[in-house]
Amino acid sequence: MTEHRQFRWPQPLKGRSQEIWYGGDYNPEQWPEEVWDEDVALMRKAGVNLVSVGIFSWAKLQPSEDSWDFGWLDRVIDKLGGAGIAVDLASATASPPMWLTQAHPEVLWRDERGNVCWPGARQHWRATSPIFRDYALALCTRMAEHYRDNPYVVAWHVNNEYGCHNRFDYSDDAAQAFRVWCKERYGDIESVNDAWGTSFWSQQMGDFSEIIPPRFIGEGNFMNPGKLLDFKRFSSDALQEFFRAERDTLERITPGIPLTTNFMVSAANSVLDYDAWGRDVDFVSNDHYFMPGEQHLDELVYSASLVDGIARKHPWFLMEHSTGAVNWRAINYRKEEGQLIRDSLAHLAMGANAICYFQWRQSQSGAEKFHTAMLPHAGEDSQDYREVCELGQDLKVLSDAGVARSAVAKSRIAVVFDYESEWASEHTATPTQEVRHWTEPLDWFRALADCGITADVVPIRAAWDSYEAAVLPSVYLLDKANAKRVRDYVSGGGKLFATYYTGISDANDRIWLGGYPASIADVIGVRSEAFTPMGSDIDGVLDHLELSNGTVAHDLADWITSTADTVEVLAVYEAEEWTGMRHVPAITFNSFGEGQAAYVGCRLGREGLSKALPELLAHMHISASDGVPDDRAANTGVLRVERIADEGSGRFVFLFNRTHEERTVDVEGTVLVSSRATVHPGELTASIKANGLLVMAV
């Protein structure tokens, strides 16, 4: 794995100071030119200081193979820059024009059955097509040469949301590239056979030419798990290699302009290995869209924390989110009152020094016409636009106070997330299809918040072993190196929380033998002989297990048959005899070297973990009330986040109401921003309504 590129952040326009970037995608090509001046005026009124331009403009920039038209984009950029609005300029390669795919249909990706993805939407290109690469890099070259000296371009927006629609391609180009990838990874075909366990079902290969993508194998059949996992790795790498080619082409011509591409990090989205991609950008960018319902804020902050982890606590760029409803769900719920501002400042609290939306002006036609925007169909006389203007004022206050020169404070607890464990857990032949890796880290993050602790979400490659305590939540894959990290961490005094479905397989999805979790059995001190799935799909099967601590397990539990002498059992199952789980250990605590390891051998969900955690934290001598003085109890309905200024010269405290009930909080320092909150100066307290917040300088 390569080292991270040197961090480079978009610099302000000449004569302006560094501020929190604020704006969104701008698609002027969708509108007549007489609208552009109105757009710029309304942007200035809202406090917009940056827009992303040209993302889906290939067909307008290159109307035919032999013609180019930069005039319209030149005029737009001049208007924006003249008004003090910087430009994040796209490479425009996200969707090829019709003339290209008509001339070269071989650039179109194919699904697992060999069907062609025809033009009609976007991202209908294959990353492994040498023909498409030539055309895309020619466009990058022309863009870079044309705008190399433009003073208003402060960043390159390379492509757009790689893999959103073309993550997997099963074409012959992909097959050939997959063979090359396997040869580079393994060296010889015998090593591939060993990694994939091809002795099962007579799948041995005698030559790299026999490797094919995991194409359609019939309904109800099961793909080789090792092969499927490697194809997911390859697919992420193939798109990443395409990004590097675009990036390097742009950088060769415009070396002074930082480059990024927008990731799609959320709790449930593991399209690419974004932690690996984070090494290849000058600054990390993310697109995040809210998850409707009661977990809206928690999932947002969890995802933003993961982006902060991918960025290694450098500032990151929120490239897209929504002012309200999106257009692509079955039911597109609107945001509640206050959430437009609250969501943006929650991303800011978690390290985003740029707050941008999709998009500036809501489209009148096309597939995204019902996707909300900063300037909605209703125009400037609308609640959304008024709140967009209010947010612009808030960001200016926070910029002036120095928030952009601060970073998210390191938590005491790291919750570990692993993209490859998620990919492996998605296989269709597992103990239960109700369990995936991604849900457990989110449940732990939320349960810790219920206990007054805002954890850091940390990729497995990052320094999770530098924290006072770390959670390995259903980290299904543990290779030898990470198993050793666990062992060294705990033996050296670290405090570990591990769960069911952790450390089950090695990097190639081959089971560690000896009982689960064999890879770290000495650290945990327990041995499980089998999984106990639970469900409600068949009458009479086990659908839940009650624990002696009052919590309830569902979906999956370990059948722990032995524990080390050093293990203390904190909870057992209170089950009937016929289940085979009566008095089986469910939650345990073990001393290992200088540290401790707690094990939760079942899926408790956020609610069960919230009930179980106080005892576990007490055993670990970890206090709740993260960052709150001992004489003041934590208000666990309020999420507390700190950003620390340069060289520790000050702190910014963000408080967010996690509930629909009004909450009372103590006021610290000077209140900079309040939304749906009332400050009571004489009492040094404030009341925060649902979807409300406070930001204070301390």
Side-chain angles (χ1 to χ4, degrees):
M1 186 65 68
T2 59
E3 295 297 320
H4 280 81
R5 283 168 64 90
Q6 182 179 355
F7 172 75
R8 294 195 298 164
W9 187 252
Q11 295 303 298
L13 297 180
K14 186 177 181 180
R16 293 180 175 267
S17 58
Q18 185 71 69
E19 295 182 312
I20 297 165
W21 291 116
Y22 180 47
D25 286 11
Y26 181 38
N27 298 291
E29 66 270 29
Q30 296 180 13
W31 302 92
E33 289 203 26
E34 55 264 27
V35 176
W36 299 355
D37 288 331
E38 179 188 5
D39 283 331
V40 172
L42 291 176
M43 287 178 190
R44 292 191 65 183
K45 181 179 177 181
V48 167
N49 56 21
L50 178 143
V51 291
S52 298
V53 178
I55 295 171
F56 294 107
S57 301
W58 191 340
K60 193 166 181 65
L61 290 166
Q62 190 180 8
S64 66
E65 183 165 0
D66 299 320
S67 64
W68 297 86
D69 179 9
F70 290 102
W72 67 274
L73 187 55
D74 292 344
R75 294 192 295 276
V76 168
I77 291 176
D78 285 347
K79 287 177 183 292
L80 293 165
I85 300 169
V87 171
D88 168 47
L89 184 59
S91 64
T93 51
S95 283
M98 294 295 290
W99 61 259
L100 193 162
T101 54
Q102 184 179 52
H104 297 285
E106 65 271 26
V107 308
L108 301 170
W109 62 266
R110 291 178 178 264
D111 69 13
E112 61 180 357
R113 293 175 182 253
N115 297 321
V116 174
C117 174
W118 292 104
R122 59 178 181 172
Q123 285 193 332
H124 39 281
W125 52 274
R126 64 178 74 157
T128 55
S129 167
I131 294 173
F132 182 72
R133 177 179 289 212
D134 286 346
Y135 278 99
L137 297 188
L139 176 59
C140 289
T141 299
R142 293 295 289 262
M143 292 286 286
E145 288 175 343
H146 190 85
Y147 292 105
R148 66 192 306 166
D149 297 318
N150 192 294
Y152 305 133
V153 175
V154 299
W156 280 113
H157 186 301
V158 185
N159 209 283
N160 185 72
E161 293 185 338
Y162 284 93
C164 183
H165 305 283
N166 61 347
R167 177 188 182 189
F168 297 131
D169 168 39
Y170 301 86
S171 67
D172 288 342
D173 281 339
Q176 179 57 33
F178 187 37
R179 294 177 190 121
V180 172
W181 184 92
C182 289
K183 190 167 187 177
E184 291 176 349
R185 182 177 178 88
Y186 293 106
D188 54 69
I189 197 64
E190 290 78 12
S191 297
V192 180
N193 283 318
D194 182 57
W196 293 359
T198 56
S199 57
F200 185 81
W201 282 352
S202 189
Q203 294 177 353
Q204 294 98 328
M205 298 166 293
D207 186 82
F208 281 98
S209 65
E210 297 174 18
I211 294 177
I212 59 173
R215 292 167 173 157
F216 182 66
I217 55 174
E219 296 290 351
N221 219 329
F222 301 104
M223 179 58 64
N224 180 301
K227 177 180 182 176
L228 187 57
L229 177 59
D230 267 347
F231 189 72
K232 291 177 179 179
R233 289 170 172 145
F234 155 76
S235 298
S236 180
D237 288 354
L239 285 161
Q240 190 172 357
E241 178 57 32
F242 193 93
F243 160 73
R244 291 191 193 107
E246 289 197 68
R247 178 201 66 189
D248 293 350
T249 300
L250 295 166
E251 186 172 48
R252 185 181 66 254
I253 301 167
T254 59
I257 302 177
L259 306 96
T260 192
T261 188
N262 43 339
F263 299 167
M264 298 178 289
V265 177
S266 66
N269 194 349
S270 300
V271 173
L272 305 174
D273 184 347
Y274 290 116
D275 188 46
W277 279 65
R279 297 170 180 265
D280 275 345
V281 293
D282 291 336
F283 60 97
V284 170
S285 299
N286 193 50
D287 296 352
H288 182 274
Y289 290 96
F290 72 99
M291 186 178 291
E294 59 86 24
Q295 61 182 334
H296 180 142
L297 176 64
D298 287 358
E299 191 280 333
L300 184 157
V301 176
Y302 166 92
S303 300
S305 183
L306 178 55
V307 180
D308 188 56
I310 292 169
R312 301 302 191 264
K313 292 201 175 294
H314 286 299
W316 55 274
F317 202 115
L318 179 63
M319 193 68 76
E320 290 183 25
H321 69 315
S322 65
T323 55
V326 297
N327 66 294
W328 38 264
R329 293 190 174 104
I331 302 175
N332 293 301
Y333 297 98
R334 60 178 296 197
K335 286 189 176 182
E336 299 168 9
E337 185 178 352
Q339 289 180 346
L340 185 153
I341 293 173
R342 191 277 311 272
D343 288 3
S344 295
L345 295 186
H347 283 291
L348 179 74
M350 301 309 299
N353 277 5
I355 304 298
C356 292
Y357 289 97
F358 179 84
Q359 60 181 324
W360 162 250
R361 181 183 284 270
Q362 190 169 0
S363 298
Q364 189 174 19
S365 60
E368 292 180 311
K369 62 183 180 293
F370 287 116
H371 192 298
T372 54
M374 300 174 79
L375 186 65
H377 288 153
E380 64 176 304
D381 184 15
S382 62
Q383 183 63 28
D384 277 358
Y385 180 70
R386 284 189 285 271
E387 291 191 12
V388 162
C389 293
E390 181 181 342
L391 176 60
Q393 294 171 357
D394 291 343
L395 294 175
K396 181 66 167 63
V397 169
L398 296 174
S399 290
D400 292 344
V403 170
R405 298 188 298 277
S406 67
V408 183
K410 183 177 180 180
S411 177
R412 293 171 293 155
I413 299 182
V415 175
V416 177
F417 178 81
D418 178 33
Y419 283 100
E420 295 188 355
S421 285
E422 171 57 27
W423 294 346
S425 72
E426 294 166 349
H427 197 271
T428 54
T430 57
T432 170
Q433 291 296 289
E434 298 302 314
V435 171
R436 296 286 185 270
H437 165 60
W438 75 266
T439 61
E440 197 68 19
L442 178 59
D443 283 343
W444 275 84
F445 180 86
R446 301 190 71 197
L448 286 164
D450 291 340
C451 294
I453 298 173
T454 303
D456 283 353
V457 186
V458 178
I460 196 167
R461 295 187 191 94
W464 54 264
D465 43 1
S466 68
Y467 286 75
E468 176 186 348
V471 184
L472 294 184
S474 296
V475 181
Y476 176 84
L477 300 180
L478 272 186
D479 59 16
K480 289 182 179 179
N482 277 315
K484 184 178 185 300
R485 285 180 72 188
V486 171
R487 198 165 285 108
D488 292 345
Y489 171 66
V490 180
S491 65
K495 301 172 182 180
L496 178 74
F497 300 89
T499 78
Y500 71 98
Y501 234 43
T502 290
I504 303 302
S505 290
D506 66 10
N508 297 309
D509 201 3
R510 298 178 301 185
I511 301 293
W512 289 106
L513 301 179
Y516 315 120
S519 59
I520 52 173
D522 52 342
V523 179
I524 302 301
V526 305
R527 179 176 180 269
S528 171
E529 293 187 29
F531 299 109
T532 301
M534 293 167 275
S536 57
D537 56 332
I538 299 174
D539 289 342
V541 299
L542 186 65
D543 64 354
H544 73 280
L545 284 167
E546 296 180 2
L547 277 65
S548 57
N549 65 356
T551 60
V552 178
H554 52 90
D555 293 323
L556 194 68
D558 287 330
W559 183 40
I560 295 174
T561 55
S562 61
T563 60
D565 293 340
T566 53
V567 166
E568 178 183 355
V569 177
L570 302 182
V572 298
Y573 300 109
E574 294 182 333
E576 296 183 30
E577 196 70 40
W578 66 267
T579 65
M581 298 295 286
R582 184 177 179 85
H583 297 156
V584 167
I587 302 176
T588 62
F589 178 82
N590 188 44
S591 296
F592 183 79
E594 299 298 318
Q596 300 91 37
Y599 188 70
V600 179
C602 56
R603 187 177 187 185
L604 294 177
R606 175 261 186 111
E607 183 178 353
L609 288 170
S610 296
K611 293 179 180 178
L613 266 173
E615 182 180 12
L616 289 173
L617 292 170
H619 267 73
M620 295 286 196
H621 302 291
I622 299 172
S623 63
S625 310
D626 196 16
V628 178
D630 294 337
D631 62 349
R632 198 167 58 212
N635 187 342
T636 57
V638 175
L639 188 76
R640 188 179 193 276
V641 181
E642 283 193 17
R643 289 184 59 150
I644 308 296
D646 289 345
E647 300 177 354
S649 57
R651 295 181 293 127
F652 300 97
V653 176
F654 294 74
L655 299 178
F656 300 93
N657 189 347
R658 300 171 68 215
T659 75
H660 278 154
E661 300 172 355
E662 188 171 291
R663 296 283 176 166
T664 300
V665 298
D666 290 344
V667 173
E668 306 173 54
T670 302
V671 175
L672 299 175
V673 170
S674 65
S675 177
R676 295 177 59 79
T678 302
V679 178
H680 312 295
E683 303 172 14
L684 296 179
T685 62
S687 300
I688 307 179
K689 296 180 180 179
N691 304 320
L693 64 101
L694 282 178
V695 185
M696 297 163 287
V698 180

